[in-house]
Amino acid sequence: MDVFVNLTLSGLSTGMMIFLVASGLSLIFGLMGVLNFAHGSLFMWGAYAGVWVFARTHSFTLALLAGMAAGAMVGWVMERLTIRRIYGNVVAQILITTGVMLVLNELLSATFGPNIIATTVPPLLAGSWAFGNIVVVKYRVFTIVVGFLVALAVHFMLSRTRVGIIVRAGVENQEMVQVLGINIRQVFSLVFVFGSALAALGGVMMAPAIGAVNSGMGIENQMLAFIVVVIGGMGSFLGSALGSVIVGLAGAYTAWFFPEASLAVNVVLMALVLLLKPNGLFGMGGE
Amino acid sequence: MDEPIIRTRNLTIRFGGHTAVDHVSLDIPNNTFCSIIGPNGAGKTTFFNLISGQLAPSEGKIEFKGQDVTRLPAYKRIRAGMGRTFQITNVFPDLSVLENVRLAVQAKAGVHYQILKHHRRYNRLIEAAQELLESVNLADKAEQQALALSHGDKRKLELALSLALEPDVLLLDEPTAGMAIEEVPAVLELLAKLKAAGNRTILLVEHKIEMVMSLSDMVVVLANGRLLAQGGPQAIMDNELVQAAYLGGTG
Amino acid sequence: MILRLTHVSTFIGQFHILQDISLEVPAGEVTVILGRNGAGKTTTLRSIMGLAPATGGTISFMGESLNGLPPYAAARRGIGYVPEDQAVFAVLTVEENLRLAMLRRDRAGNERLRFVLDIFPDLAQKLKQKGGSLSGGQKQMLAIGRALVHDSRLLLIDEPSKGLAPIMVEKLAGALRQIKDHTTVVLVEQNFNLASAVGERYVIIDDGHTVQQGLMSDLQADQNLQRRYLGIAAAREGGKVV
Amino acid sequence: MALPKSQPAGLSRRKFLSVSGWVPMAALLLLALVPALSPSRATLNLLTQIIILAVFAMSYDILLGYTGIVSFGHALFFGSGAYLVGLIIKHSEPTLGYLLLAVLGTLLFALVISVLIGYLSLRVKDVYYAMITLAFAEFFLIIAQKWRSVTNGDDGFSFRVPTMLQHRVVYYYLILAFVVVTLVFLRRFIHSPTGRVLIAIRENEKRAEFLGYDVLKFKLISTMVAGVVASLAGVAWALQQQFISPGVMAVDKTIDALLMTIIGGTGTLYGAFIGSGLISLAREYLPELAEIHPVFGHWYILFGLLYILIVLFFPGGILGTFRGFPRKRKSQEER
């Protein structure tokens, strides 16, 4: 029982961490249909910026802000220079964002060097509470809370606010939204920048959890994020959230019961979903 | 001959709360020219999409030549003898006009998985494609890129693609949509020619009712997704329900 | 003149669709653009809106040039556009469709919304329904209503009667008569009956050129002109077989 | 614009049997003469590498340029070919017989995996193929890294190749023969009825389906051909290096293929040689320039930028016209 609770907690927190990365992807890819292959790079820029600032200021709040700012800034430049020209052309998006990924990753390694950089959990969030045999790591609770808040906030934004209506309408018919006097490109840019900031937030949050940043973490987490969006279903933000939790929990349980299989569980999970429900658990259907 | 070539039973599709096609049960006899008419939003194109396999019904079934095809993917229905055109022009833009048709002829000939022989060694495919282009008056544009054709010519190419499949049932979705008015008679003539050949069933969705009345053996009227009436053209014209649907609105 | 096009020329890809379009639209009236299929009517509206940017000539609206403006800027100046295919947002409710067009939530906006629901009572009953679930006629009403909510001084409407049952066309004509008291309307229409019922002025376009414009009453009297440019369309309305 | 012209069959056939045109022939002749002109070991090694990577890039072009789908796990095939041949020979004997066995095993593996991945992803959306190939490639990469008892993990392992292949010049000619055979095969493939259907799918998938083509099956054929050719390139690579580490399966390898294809020109096959030549030369010589300016040490930035510019502004790549994605956009708009 204790094992079960511990595993569930750790799975949930991993899931929420994945969700933070995936939430940006879910907005940009799932909703706007822009396949951003540099999403992992944005995540990494966030992680590096966060670690760099935290090492100098010892303030995790500043690290969070700096990371998100870095993500937003890179996202903004990227949108202006490339994405803007290729809305609606998925093959071009994959191709170009891959190039952007190369450049962004190489810029990071040119600045910070190719080696891993260690970091720690901020003191306030370090340590754990113990209830009998149940050990609750504080930082995990923190990620669960942050993930939950982000999920709520974005869901509210999409379903209730004017920006949400514009985005949903713009996804359906860009031209018609423009004709109503709305600069849809600007709104899309904003969403892209916001999604980039979310990816970077995931990076800042992830770094203390694994204790270091390295140049391989981008592509790894991007893949997880994509798996989660596929499992949840394109265009369903809450689906991505649920997908994240499923992947997190599945990873935690398999790691405990069948450690050998833990590497494969994500890929197998995704393969299963694709086999049985090709549009994902909450997918909107084909095109 | 006695067996209807297409038979639908309670064919229904819902999008969200909206029922676009609503329990349509219809028998289409072999070798007839059948027009489907109805006010906008009646579900004509959706009905086509259900028959040709682009959409899967929420309910009901479709039989083609006595076989249940309800769950058959589109390409299998095409191979079984359906051919369709699209309301919005749908060709291979970067390929030549001839190559467009050649690909269709190739599909009909069943040359699918031959990976080591040059496609131009299949002379008969090219010849058949050229003949088809002649029949739709596009022979002189065979080498042009499909992209560069005028709208009317694209529609003709679209028709040639479907004819190349030598379908037993030809589904034509507004073949004259968006055509310059002087190009329409040529298409009508072509339709008349197809009908005169008498060896296939033609299903036509068309807005221009007057245009199709003289050609049709049978007219099917849809309104709000429901089958409102079917019968000979004159009977349909005289049908009060139909007049009401058009004049009195359905909404 | 609220809108003036002078020698407008527009390419789409390598196709020279509009070659020389010059027309004037007086404020407060309904001007109908007539012409055969493929003559360039839709492209004219799209060029005004900035959706198919004009490559030559000038387009001026209330004395200011629209050339080079993106569509949303043209819209903000007070031009409403109802495209041929209505382009109602299927994923949004009727209310969201209308609210989307309301750039500011102020009293004037709410009044316009009330006006729209007034002239299109069908919509008032379906506010919470998704746009995708409406019938063709209701979608057309929503599309026009949306352009009205958007405080348009000039309304460009592209073939509103297309594919509608005659009874719907009747309703539409009624609504258009109410609308023209509030805004200037440019209407592209194949249905000559509707065009002559609501239009005060006409412009005939053929092969990308303006060939004739003037008062609708003159056109109605001039059978010759009708036959020359609108022949088939007009005849079709008479119910004859093409 | 190479529009297909209807020609008498005899004429087209002759052209068809040649590798096509003077330039490739002259290039081939030149390449064949290299060992005589400059027998330097380094030159031969570099050329061998360029040719092998060009074959890898050509296989990628079948996917991207001719079918219009993007893969991010193409290295999976390249790497599995390399690993399989290395492992089999290492655990048996370096004879031609075992090599043949390894090649057959590689082919089988490539076929099975390409069908599996393709069936899972292409059914849904082509876009998924990119990500799911990546996931599978990462999966196998992790196996290569963690299954230390067999693969020796990140350190990799070396193995002896059959004596005959140890001679550089012999191996060079063997690779030349390999590339000619592959090229003739791929050209035949793209001009075959099946290949034409792939192009049709790239142009307008929906229409292809409504002509009665089983689109999924054709895409699977495309991924199978691409996978098999890529894994053969991997075998050739392993035999040249005589050493294997997980790097052959990493994302970077796939991205190399992508860069080579795009920079050389998609949908051209020959562009792969230009792309491969440029990238291999850059990898060889640019780092030496790092003393002049540190940016050359990070030459990936330069190539990334060049690549982005090409995709955005010169979609034809260096060779030919890139017809894959601008057309894709057109046909999407028309829908």
Side-chain angles (χ1 to χ4, degrees), chain B residues 37-210:
Chain B
I37 62 171
N40 216 22
K44 301 182 294 280
T45 295
T46 312
F47 184 66
F48 253 38
N49 288 343
L50 286 169
I51 291 187
S52 64
Q54 214 170 343
L55 290 170
S58 322
E59 213 183 289
K61 73 176 192 178
I62 307 162
E63 283 176 19
F64 177 52
K65 295 181 180 171
Q67 302 280 315
D68 185 347
V69 297
T70 315
R71 297 289 153 200
L72 221 53
Y75 75 91
K76 283 196 180 157
R77 300 189 200 192
I78 302 288
R79 285 196 201 165
M82 284 190 196
R84 76 164 291 180
T85 66
F86 293 82
Q87 205 171 12
I88 301 164
T89 303
N90 207 336
V91 296
F92 303 107
D94 206 25
L95 304 182
S96 75
V97 169
L98 181 65
E99 179 63 6
N100 264 274
V101 182
R102 201 199 60 77
L103 277 162
V105 176
Q106 181 187 318
K108 174 63 192 177
V111 184
H112 292 276
Y113 310 117
Q114 171 50 261
I115 63 165
L116 287 177
K117 216 159 145 187
H118 198 290
H119 67 281
R120 274 185 226 127
R121 294 195 62 201
Y122 294 83
N123 275 326
R124 63 198 164 88
L125 301 188
I126 299 176
E127 280 160 21
Q130 276 161 340
E131 273 169 33
L132 274 160
L133 285 179
E134 263 158 44
S135 75
V136 297
N137 298 329
L138 272 181
D140 52 328
K141 302 200 165 89
E143 301 302 330
Q144 264 188 35
Q145 222 181 332
L147 184 71
L149 289 182
S150 74
H151 182 74
D153 283 346
K154 275 189 192 153
R155 302 296 300 176
K156 289 182 198 159
L157 175 57
E158 168 102 39
L159 207 54
L161 288 183
S162 301
L163 288 178
L165 302 175
E166 294 171 24
D168 301 318
V169 171
L170 186 56
L171 303 154
L172 300 172
D173 197 352
E174 293 201 41
T176 63
M179 253 191 194
I181 233 125
E182 61 271 14
E183 289 175 315
V184 172
V187 174
L188 285 183
E189 205 177 297
L190 192 62
L191 291 184
K193 212 160 79 185
L194 289 176
K195 183 191 172 181
N199 54 359
R200 61 168 56 96
T201 308
I202 297 174
L203 233 63
L204 175 70
V205 162
E206 193 44 80
H207 266 124
K208 301 165 185 138
I209 306 169
E210 325 77 45

Side-chain angles (χ1 to χ4, degrees), chain A residues 188-210:
Chain A
F188 272 10
S189 304
L190 206 79
V191 175
F192 189 88
V193 169
F194 180 63
S196 305
L198 282 181
L201 171 67
V204 188
M205 294 286 295
M206 184 80 82
I210 51 178

Side-chain angles (χ1 to χ4, degrees), chain D residues 198-234:
Chain D
L198 292 185
I199 295 174
I201 290 172
R202 178 192 79 194
E203 291 289 309
N204 186 344
E205 183 177 333
K206 187 167 131 198
R207 197 42 165 142
E209 179 167 12
F210 277 93
L211 290 182
Y213 289 118
D214 183 348
V215 168
L216 177 63
K217 208 176 270 175
F218 280 95
K219 285 183 184 165
L220 287 180
I221 290 175
S222 171
T223 64
M224 278 158 68
V225 169
V228 163
V229 173
S231 62
L232 288 179

